[in-house]
PDB file of all heavy atoms in Angstrom:
ATOM      1  N   GLU D  43    -142.147  88.721 132.585  1.00  0.00           N
ATOM      2  CA  GLU D  43    -143.496  88.952 132.141  1.00  0.00           C
ATOM      3  C   GLU D  43    -143.990  87.707 131.481  1.00  0.00           C
ATOM      4  O   GLU D  43    -143.260  86.996 130.791  1.00  0.00           O
ATOM      5  CB  GLU D  43    -143.817  90.243 131.333  1.00  0.00           C
ATOM      6  CG  GLU D  43    -143.123  89.989 129.953  1.00  0.00           C
ATOM      7  CD  GLU D  43    -141.621  90.367 129.886  1.00  0.00           C
ATOM      8  OE1 GLU D  43    -140.990  90.564 130.993  1.00  0.00           O
ATOM      9  OE2 GLU D  43    -141.070  90.624 128.805  1.00  0.00           O
ATOM     10  N   PRO D  44    -145.277  87.392 131.573  1.00  0.00           N
ATOM     11  CA  PRO D  44    -145.909  86.194 130.938  1.00  0.00           C
ATOM     12  C   PRO D  44    -145.922  86.427 129.485  1.00  0.00           C
ATOM     13  O   PRO D  44    -145.921  87.501 128.927  1.00  0.00           O
ATOM     14  CB  PRO D  44    -147.302  86.131 131.429  1.00  0.00           C
ATOM     15  CG  PRO D  44    -147.679  87.568 131.975  1.00  0.00           C
ATOM     16  CD  PRO D  44    -146.424  88.100 132.447  1.00  0.00           C
ATOM     17  N   ALA D  45    -145.763  85.271 128.646  1.00  0.00           N
ATOM     18  CA  ALA D  45    -145.854  85.409 127.163  1.00  0.00           C
ATOM     19  C   ALA D  45    -147.097  85.866 126.670  1.00  0.00           C
ATOM     20  O   ALA D  45    -148.169  85.442 127.111  1.00  0.00           O
ATOM     21  CB  ALA D  45    -145.476  83.993 126.692  1.00  0.00           C
ATOM     22  N   LEU D  46    -147.101  87.022 126.014  1.00  0.00           N
ATOM     23  CA  LEU D  46    -148.380  87.531 125.352  1.00  0.00           C
ATOM     24  C   LEU D  46    -148.489  86.986 123.897  1.00  0.00           C
ATOM     25  O   LEU D  46    -147.636  87.107 123.131  1.00  0.00           O
ATOM     26  CB  LEU D  46    -148.236  89.115 125.396  1.00  0.00           C
ATOM     27  CG  LEU D  46    -148.099  89.672 126.776  1.00  0.00           C
ATOM     28  CD1 LEU D  46    -147.854  91.131 126.650  1.00  0.00           C
ATOM     29  CD2 LEU D  46    -149.214  89.336 127.690  1.00  0.00           C
ATOM     30  N   HIS D  47    -149.731  86.640 123.741  1.00  0.00           N
ATOM     31  CA  HIS D  47    -150.028  86.064 122.369  1.00  0.00           C
ATOM     32  C   HIS D  47    -150.652  87.272 121.390  1.00  0.00           C
ATOM     33  O   HIS D  47    -151.642  87.952 121.999  1.00  0.00           O
ATOM     34  CB  HIS D  47    -151.092  84.915 122.355  1.00  0.00           C
ATOM     35  CG  HIS D  47    -150.497  83.791 123.060  1.00  0.00           C
ATOM     36  ND1 HIS D  47    -149.621  82.828 122.460  1.00  0.00           N
ATOM     37  CD2 HIS D  47    -150.728  83.351 124.345  1.00  0.00           C
ATOM     38  CE1 HIS D  47    -149.349  81.876 123.316  1.00  0.00           C
ATOM     39  NE2 HIS D  47    -149.955  82.189 124.518  1.00  0.00           N
ATOM     40  N   PRO D  48    -150.028  87.462 120.394  1.00  0.00           N
ATOM     41  CA  PRO D  48    -150.549  88.599 119.586  1.00  0.00           C
ATOM     42  C   PRO D  48    -151.924  88.497 119.165  1.00  0.00           C
ATOM     43  O   PRO D  48    -152.317  87.217 118.988  1.00  0.00           O
ATOM     44  CB  PRO D  48    -149.532  88.706 118.432  1.00  0.00           C
ATOM     45  CG  PRO D  48    -148.952  87.450 118.409  1.00  0.00           C
ATOM     46  CD  PRO D  48    -148.927  86.703 119.745  1.00  0.00           C
ATOM     47  N   PRO D  49    -152.623  89.353 118.726  1.00  0.00           N
ATOM     48  CA  PRO D  49    -154.007  89.316 118.305  1.00  0.00           C
ATOM     49  C   PRO D  49    -154.035  88.436 116.990  1.00  0.00           C
ATOM     50  O   PRO D  49    -153.171  88.384 116.232  1.00  0.00           O
ATOM     51  CB  PRO D  49    -154.661  90.749 118.006  1.00  0.00           C
ATOM     52  CG  PRO D  49    -153.275  91.495 117.919  1.00  0.00           C
ATOM     53  CD  PRO D  49    -152.302  90.845 118.861  1.00  0.00           C
ATOM     54  N   ASP D  50    -155.257  87.843 116.715  1.00  0.00           N
ATOM     55  CA  ASP D  50    -155.417  87.027 115.565  1.00  0.00           C
ATOM     56  C   ASP D  50    -155.589  87.918 114.365  1.00  0.00           C
ATOM     57  O   ASP D  50    -156.844  88.222 114.077  1.00  0.00           O
ATOM     58  CB  ASP D  50    -156.543  86.077 115.813  1.00  0.00           C
ATOM     59  CG  ASP D  50    -156.717  85.074 114.731  1.00  0.00           C
ATOM     60  OD1 ASP D  50    -155.899  85.024 113.795  1.00  0.00           O
ATOM     61  OD2 ASP D  50    -157.743  84.413 114.543  1.00  0.00           O
ATOM     62  N   LEU D  51    -154.591  88.388 113.675  1.00  0.00           N
ATOM     63  CA  LEU D  51    -154.629  89.106 112.598  1.00  0.00           C
ATOM     64  C   LEU D  51    -154.074  88.472 111.321  1.00  0.00           C
ATOM     65  O   LEU D  51    -152.875  87.944 111.655  1.00  0.00           O
ATOM     66  CB  LEU D  51    -153.961  90.641 112.833  1.00  0.00           C
ATOM     67  CG  LEU D  51    -154.807  91.533 113.917  1.00  0.00           C
ATOM     68  CD1 LEU D  51    -154.024  92.716 114.068  1.00  0.00           C
ATOM     69  CD2 LEU D  51    -156.143  91.751 113.453  1.00  0.00           C
ATOM     70  N   HIS D  52    -154.528  88.587 110.308  1.00  0.00           N
ATOM     71  CA  HIS D  52    -153.837  88.140 109.121  1.00  0.00           C
ATOM     72  C   HIS D  52    -152.762  89.130 108.614  1.00  0.00           C
ATOM     73  O   HIS D  52    -152.948  90.368 108.372  1.00  0.00           O
ATOM     74  CB  HIS D  52    -154.961  87.929 107.936  1.00  0.00           C
ATOM     75  CG  HIS D  52    -155.931  87.023 108.333  1.00  0.00           C
ATOM     76  ND1 HIS D  52    -155.673  85.625 108.120  1.00  0.00           N
ATOM     77  CD2 HIS D  52    -157.366  87.153 108.697  1.00  0.00           C
ATOM     78  CE1 HIS D  52    -156.876  84.986 108.554  1.00  0.00           C
ATOM     79  NE2 HIS D  52    -157.901  85.886 108.904  1.00  0.00           N
ATOM     80  N   PRO D  53    -151.513  88.574 108.424  1.00  0.00           N
ATOM     81  CA  PRO D  53    -150.402  89.497 107.951  1.00  0.00           C
ATOM     82  C   PRO D  53    -150.834  90.172 106.578  1.00  0.00           C
ATOM     83  O   PRO D  53    -151.456  89.524 105.674  1.00  0.00           O
ATOM     84  CB  PRO D  53    -149.270  88.595 107.796  1.00  0.00           C
ATOM     85  CG  PRO D  53    -149.638  87.431 108.616  1.00  0.00           C
ATOM     86  CD  PRO D  53    -151.120  87.295 108.533  1.00  0.00           C
ATOM     87  N   ALA D  54    -150.575  91.381 106.385  1.00  0.00           N
ATOM     88  CA  ALA D  54    -150.818  92.205 105.155  1.00  0.00           C
ATOM     89  C   ALA D  54    -149.680  93.001 104.813  1.00  0.00           C
ATOM     90  O   ALA D  54    -149.332  93.809 105.651  1.00  0.00           O
ATOM     91  CB  ALA D  54    -152.198  92.929 105.313  1.00  0.00           C
ATOM     92  N   ALA D  55    -149.084  92.850 103.588  1.00  0.00           N
ATOM     93  CA  ALA D  55    -147.989  93.696 103.204  1.00  0.00           C
ATOM     94  C   ALA D  55    -148.541  94.993 102.520  1.00  0.00           C
ATOM     95  O   ALA D  55    -148.341  95.241 101.358  1.00  0.00           O
ATOM     96  CB  ALA D  55    -147.186  92.971 102.120  1.00  0.00           C
ATOM     97  N   VAL D  56    -149.294  95.760 103.342  1.00  0.00           N
ATOM     98  CA  VAL D  56    -149.821  97.026 102.779  1.00  0.00           C
ATOM     99  C   VAL D  56    -149.105  98.037 103.683  1.00  0.00           C
ATOM    100  O   VAL D  56    -149.128  98.084 104.899  1.00  0.00           O
ATOM    101  CB  VAL D  56    -151.423  97.080 103.283  1.00  0.00           C
ATOM    102  CG1 VAL D  56    -151.923  98.379 102.759  1.00  0.00           C
ATOM    103  CG2 VAL D  56    -152.076  95.951 102.402  1.00  0.00           C
ATOM    104  N   SER D  57    -148.455  98.946 103.034  1.00  0.00           N
ATOM    105  CA  SER D  57    -147.619 100.035 103.689  1.00  0.00           C
ATOM    106  C   SER D  57    -148.541 101.142 104.124  1.00  0.00           C
ATOM    107  O   SER D  57    -149.581 101.441 103.593  1.00  0.00           O
ATOM    108  CB  SER D  57    -146.750 100.644 102.711  1.00  0.00           C
ATOM    109  OG  SER D  57    -147.447 101.180 101.671  1.00  0.00           O
ATOM    110  N   THR D  58    -148.407 101.644 105.408  1.00  0.00           N
ATOM    111  CA  THR D  58    -149.046 102.649 106.157  1.00  0.00           C
ATOM    112  C   THR D  58    -148.095 103.716 106.507  1.00  0.00           C
ATOM    113  O   THR D  58    -146.976 103.405 106.918  1.00  0.00           O
ATOM    114  CB  THR D  58    -149.794 102.008 107.237  1.00  0.00           C
ATOM    115  OG1 THR D  58    -148.908 101.422 108.114  1.00  0.00           O
ATOM    116  CG2 THR D  58    -150.768 101.017 106.806  1.00  0.00           C
ATOM    117  N   ILE D  59    -148.525 104.860 106.450  1.00  0.00           N
ATOM    118  CA  ILE D  59    -147.690 106.039 106.880  1.00  0.00           C
ATOM    119  C   ILE D  59    -147.532 105.855 108.481  1.00  0.00           C
ATOM    120  O   ILE D  59    -148.396 105.371 109.137  1.00  0.00           O
ATOM    121  CB  ILE D  59    -148.388 107.367 106.567  1.00  0.00           C
ATOM    122  CG1 ILE D  59    -148.706 107.447 105.119  1.00  0.00           C
ATOM    123  CG2 ILE D  59    -147.518 108.518 106.993  1.00  0.00           C
ATOM    124  CD1 ILE D  59    -147.388 107.236 104.223  1.00  0.00           C
ATOM    125  N   HIS D  60    -146.395 106.263 108.933  1.00  0.00           N
ATOM    126  CA  HIS D  60    -145.965 106.121 110.379  1.00  0.00           C
ATOM    127  C   HIS D  60    -146.977 106.898 111.275  1.00  0.00           C
ATOM    128  O   HIS D  60    -147.224 106.487 112.416  1.00  0.00           O
ATOM    129  CB  HIS D  60    -144.631 106.778 110.606  1.00  0.00           C
ATOM    130  CG  HIS D  60    -144.259 106.403 112.047  1.00  0.00           C
ATOM    131  ND1 HIS D  60    -143.869 105.222 112.603  1.00  0.00           N
ATOM    132  CD2 HIS D  60    -143.886 107.314 113.122  1.00  0.00           C
ATOM    133  CE1 HIS D  60    -143.546 105.240 113.790  1.00  0.00           C
ATOM    134  NE2 HIS D  60    -143.482 106.509 114.134  1.00  0.00           N
ATOM    135  N   SER D  61    -147.559 107.978 110.788  1.00  0.00           N
ATOM    136  CA  SER D  61    -148.455 108.697 111.644  1.00  0.00           C
ATOM    137  C   SER D  61    -149.842 108.227 111.615  1.00  0.00           C
ATOM    138  O   SER D  61    -150.712 108.852 112.328  1.00  0.00           O
ATOM    139  CB  SER D  61    -148.336 110.168 111.201  1.00  0.00           C
ATOM    140  OG  SER D  61    -148.820 110.277 109.710  1.00  0.00           O
TER     141      SER D  61
END
Side-chain angles (χ1 to χ4, degrees):
E43 68 274 13
L46 299 178
H47 296 280
D50 184 11
L51 290 177
H52 295 281
V56 180
S57 60
T58 57
I59 305 300
H60 183 70
S61 60

